């Protein structure tokens, strides 16, 4: 660790990993409710479990982004953080807000609106925390060296924080409500978070492959411009069938088809950098997560997104298990794996444990990734059957659900593999083991 203030990242990563565990365990419980629907139906109803699952996901991913920023910014800007103190205050606000929101959910207090169920005062708290964050990182960046990586990262973080304002605006009219809701949900994952992803991947590639900064920057500019070009008007793929004007069908379809491009570019970027790189960095696990992230993001977001983004297709698949399949693989590939790559990279440095044993970490990679892939396949099959029976044959929702039991059982099994993988990952980070390097035959003096 080159700069003392990078240490704040450690606290962020710890909290992020704690919420990650809660998130996947919540998912597993929700998956069990699909298998055995009356489980806990009085004490903790499905909608509450689901809220905890999805909210924990978003919060830990954001905490991971904040931690990653605090870790890489001092190195890029070549100076200490403006204020480590403010960074801890920001974390405290977010932790209190999250705990209060969860406590509220458990006793049935929430504001509706998927992903944005937090009570209004928590939303204001998050906004305050975001402002503190922006001040802290902007002051650091302005006073130091400016690189393409930090510029893109900060642009993404500024825009995503500003979009949070639309989480606070909640019109009575349901159509308008959805219009604004997607400004947060879609413009996060398919525009601003993509900038964060490109910047962090760029940083990891810089460190892990040793390719020249200029080469990495050129790729980043292509990725960022294609992401914004496609992603902003691509919001239209959520305005296809919700009562918005008809032009959204073509706008949404065409622009969102282009959204595949930045994800393909990120995948090509990662592989070309590794191919061109001369450096043999010892942290192979971080490289595995970085490459895996770019590939699974391409499939989850790019391919599985493309699958239902054309308006004639979405007319049938909207809101079915096809959507859930895409939601899982895209979030996992793009943002979960990105954060795990960064944590894998930074943790041994923050804890002074390099060189370290990466076997458990890599085991968790394969377990989680194959579990997620299997879950995606089962949900996709469930979704296709559901679409056909419900939307083509006209059976009712619950009749169709009765036909899908086997898929839901298999989803639970896949989810179990993901949870075990996640716990192994967390263990491998909490108990970072040093690599025992065999010194080879030792010459005994005097012989
Ligand atoms: C890191 C891993 C995971 C990620 C990124 C993730 C992400 C998500 C997302 C984004 C949603 C909302 C989906 C939508 O609106 O279409 C969701 C819902 C859900 N997830 Fe996960 N999840 C993960 C792990 C799990 C696991 C291990 C299970 C266990 C079976 C699980 C089961 C569920 C269930 C049952 C729902 C509710 C689906 C519904 O309402 O029909 N998830 N998850
Ligand atoms: C990493 C990037 C992405 C993430 C994390 C993501 C996540 C999600 C999630 C969670 C949903 C369900 C939202 C809900 O209704 O509750 C969704 C819906 C959707 N996504 Fe993505 N997505 C990503 C990229 C893409 C891309 C690139 C495309 C198109 C090429 C796409 C196309 C769609 C479409 C069409 C829907 C609406 C499905 C429906 O009508 O039910 N997504 N996405
Ligand atoms: Fe979208």
């Amino acid at each position: 660790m080159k700069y003392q203030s990078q240490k704040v990242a450690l606290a962020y990563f710890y909290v992020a990993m704690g919420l990650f565990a809660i998130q996947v365990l919540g998912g597993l419980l929700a998956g069990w409710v699909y298998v055995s629907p009356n489980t806990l139906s009085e004490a903790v109803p499905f909608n509450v479990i689901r809220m905890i699952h999805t909210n924990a996901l978003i919060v830990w991913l954001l905490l991971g982004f904040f931690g990653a920023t605090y870790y890489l910014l001092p190195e890029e800007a070549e100076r200490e953080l403006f204020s480590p103190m403010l960074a801890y205050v920001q974390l405290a606000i977010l932790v209190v807000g999250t705990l209060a929101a969860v406590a509220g959910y458990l006793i049935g207090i929430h504001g509706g609106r998927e992903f944005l169920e937090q009570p209004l005062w928590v939303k204001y708290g998050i906004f305050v925390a975001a402002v503190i964050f922006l001040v802290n990182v902007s002051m650091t960046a302005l006073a130091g060296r400016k690189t393409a990586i930090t510029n893109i990262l900060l642009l993404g973080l500024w825009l995503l924080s500003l979009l949070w304002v639309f989480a606070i605006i909640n019109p009575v009219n349901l159509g308008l409500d959805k219009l604004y809701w997607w400004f947060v949900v879609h413009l996060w994952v398919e525009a601003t978070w993509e900038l964060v992803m490109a910047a962090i991947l760029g940083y990891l590639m810089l460190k892990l492959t040793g390719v020249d900064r200029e080469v990495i920057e050129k790729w980043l500019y292509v990725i960022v411009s294609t992401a914004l070009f496609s992603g902003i008007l691509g919001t239209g793929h959520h305005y296809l069938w919700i009562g918005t004007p008809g032009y959204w069908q073509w706008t949404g379809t065409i622009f969102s088809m282009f959204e595949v491009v930045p994800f393909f570019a990120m995948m090509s970027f990662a592989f070309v950098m590794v191919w061109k790189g001369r450096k043999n960095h010892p942290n192979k696990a971080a490289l595995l997560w970085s490459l895996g992230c770019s590939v699974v993001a391409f499939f989850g977001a790019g391919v599985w997104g493309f699958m239902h983004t054309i308006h004639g297709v979405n007319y049938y698949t909207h809101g079915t298990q096809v959507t859930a399949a895409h939601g899982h693989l895209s979030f996992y590939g793009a943002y979960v794996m990105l954060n795990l790559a960064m944590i894998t990279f930074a943790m041994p440095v923050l804890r002074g444990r390099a060189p370290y044993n990466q076997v458990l970490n890599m085991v968790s990679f394969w377990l989680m990734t194959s579990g997620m892939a299997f879950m995606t396949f089962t949900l996709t099959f469930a979704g296709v059957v559901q679409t056909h029976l419900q939307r083509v044959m006209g059976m009712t929702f619950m009749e169709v659900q009765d036909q899908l039991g086997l898929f839901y059982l298999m989803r639970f099994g896949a989810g179990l593999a993901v949870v075990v993988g996640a716990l192994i990952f967390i263990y491998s980070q909490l108990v970072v083991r040093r690599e025992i390097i065999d010194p080879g035959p030792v010459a005994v003096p005097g012989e």
Side-chain angles (χ1 to χ4, degrees):
M1 198 169 53
K2 231 168 147 185
Y3 296 90
Q4 210 45 47
S5 54
Q6 284 178 290
K7 195 97 191 174
V8 294
L10 197 57
Y12 277 81
F13 291 153
Y14 280 142
V15 181
M17 285 191 291
L19 284 173
F20 177 35
I22 293 174
Q23 181 234 324
V24 289
L25 286 167
L28 197 63
L29 187 55
W32 183 251
V33 175
Y34 261 94
V35 175
S36 173
N38 287 330
T39 311
L40 293 178
S41 60
E42 300 282 332
V44 196
F46 176 78
N47 70 314
V48 174
I49 305 172
R50 192 185 195 281
M51 266 187 282
I52 293 174
H53 178 52
T54 52
N55 283 227
L57 170 72
I58 304 298
V59 176
W60 90 256
L61 292 177
L62 286 170
L63 289 175
F65 293 161
F66 295 145
T69 308
Y70 286 133
Y71 181 84
L72 69 80
L73 188 58
E75 276 180 25
E76 289 289 298
E78 296 183 328
R79 52 158 291 152
E80 295 288 354
L81 285 177
F82 171 70
S83 164
M85 186 63 202
L86 277 182
Y88 287 118
V89 172
Q90 177 206 346
L91 181 62
I93 296 177
L94 290 172
V95 169
V96 170
T98 305
L99 293 180
V102 170
Y105 296 164
L106 288 173
I107 53 170
I109 301 172
H110 62 83
R113 293 182 111 200
E114 188 193 0
F115 294 114
L116 309 180
E117 295 97 342
Q118 312 79 19
L120 196 58
W121 71 268
V122 175
K123 290 199 173 83
Y124 282 117
I126 294 174
F127 193 74
V128 171
V131 171
I132 294 177
F133 172 74
L134 292 175
V135 168
N136 206 357
V137 294
S138 303
M139 294 299 279
T140 312
L142 286 174
R145 178 175 68 145
K146 290 156 197 74
T147 66
I149 290 176
T150 52
N151 288 346
I152 292 169
L153 183 61
L154 263 60
L155 180 66
L157 293 164
W158 265 94
L159 293 176
L160 81 85
S161 303
L162 291 179
L163 285 169
W164 183 250
V165 173
F166 290 103
I168 295 170
I169 303 172
N170 186 358
V172 182
N173 178 301
L174 193 62
L176 268 184
D177 163 355
K178 283 292 175 197
L179 209 76
Y180 287 139
W181 184 80
W182 285 113
F183 281 5
V184 186
V185 177
H186 171 100
L187 290 180
W188 269 15
V189 298
E190 288 159 73
T192 50
W193 286 28
E194 268 183 77
L195 305 197
V196 174
M197 176 178 173
I200 294 179
L201 262 188
Y203 171 81
L204 287 168
M205 286 299 137
L206 185 70
K207 297 287 157 171
L208 293 170
T209 70
V211 167
D212 289 344
R213 190 181 279 279
E214 292 72 37
V215 180
I216 288 184
E217 288 176 349
K218 281 186 195 126
W219 277 91
L220 288 185
Y221 290 130
V222 173
I223 293 166
V224 168
S225 43
T226 53
L228 292 178
F229 171 77
S230 60
I232 296 174
L233 282 173
T235 319
H237 65 191
H238 303 291
Y239 300 159
L240 304 174
W241 303 111
I242 65 165
T244 36
Y247 53 79
W248 281 115
Q249 288 175 2
W250 289 107
T251 320
T253 299
I254 291 170
F255 281 91
S256 69
M257 280 163 69
F258 281 116
E259 284 184 40
V260 180
V261 176
F263 285 102
F264 186 76
M266 275 192 267
M267 181 172 66
S268 316
F269 165 64
F271 280 87
V272 172
M273 292 308 100
V274 172
W275 171 53
K276 281 193 169 176
R278 300 167 308 278
K279 200 160 156 183
N280 190 10
H281 196 282
N283 197 335
K284 296 284 177 272
L287 192 63
L288 182 64
W289 281 107
S290 307
L291 289 174
C293 164
S294 73
V295 175
V296 182
F298 170 69
F299 279 97
V303 179
W304 256 257
F306 190 87
M307 213 152 75
H308 57 170
T309 207
I310 294 171
H311 68 270
V313 177
N314 191 268
Y315 179 76
Y316 289 97
T317 59
H318 178 66
T320 61
Q321 296 297 330
V322 172
T323 308
H326 157 67
H328 276 88
L329 200 64
S330 56
F331 257 112
Y332 174 73
Y335 303 120
V336 170
M337 293 181 87
L338 181 74
N339 270 309
L340 299 186
M342 190 66 193
I343 292 176
T344 298
F345 177 77
M347 198 61 115
V349 184
L350 288 167
R351 311 237 348 239
R353 303 296 282 175
Y356 78 113
N357 189 313
Q358 301 156 36
V359 174
L360 274 183
N361 185 308
M362 294 198 193
V363 167
S364 81
F365 171 93
W366 290 110
L367 209 54
M368 256 189 275
T369 306
S370 48
M372 244 331 151
F374 193 80
M375 191 193 295
T376 305
F377 297 142
T378 57
L379 289 178
T380 306
F381 281 114
V384 172
V385 171
Q386 182 188 9
T387 302
H388 191 77
L389 293 183
Q390 199 177 313
R391 303 271 160 85
V392 181
M393 306 302 285
M395 285 167 71
T396 65
F397 179 83
M398 287 315 285
E399 277 174 333
V400 174
Q401 291 302 310
D402 278 342
Q403 303 295 316
L404 302 177
L406 184 61
F407 295 114
Y408 292 143
L409 191 61
M410 290 196 286
R411 185 258 301 269
F412 179 79
L416 196 60
V418 175
V419 171
V420 173
L423 296 178
I424 293 179
F425 179 91
I426 294 169
Y427 175 82
S428 81
Q429 297 306 312
L430 294 184
V431 190
V432 187
R433 293 182 303 166
R434 270 191 202 280
E435 186 82 83
I436 298 168
I437 297 168
D438 182 2
V442 181
V444 181
E447 263 182 22

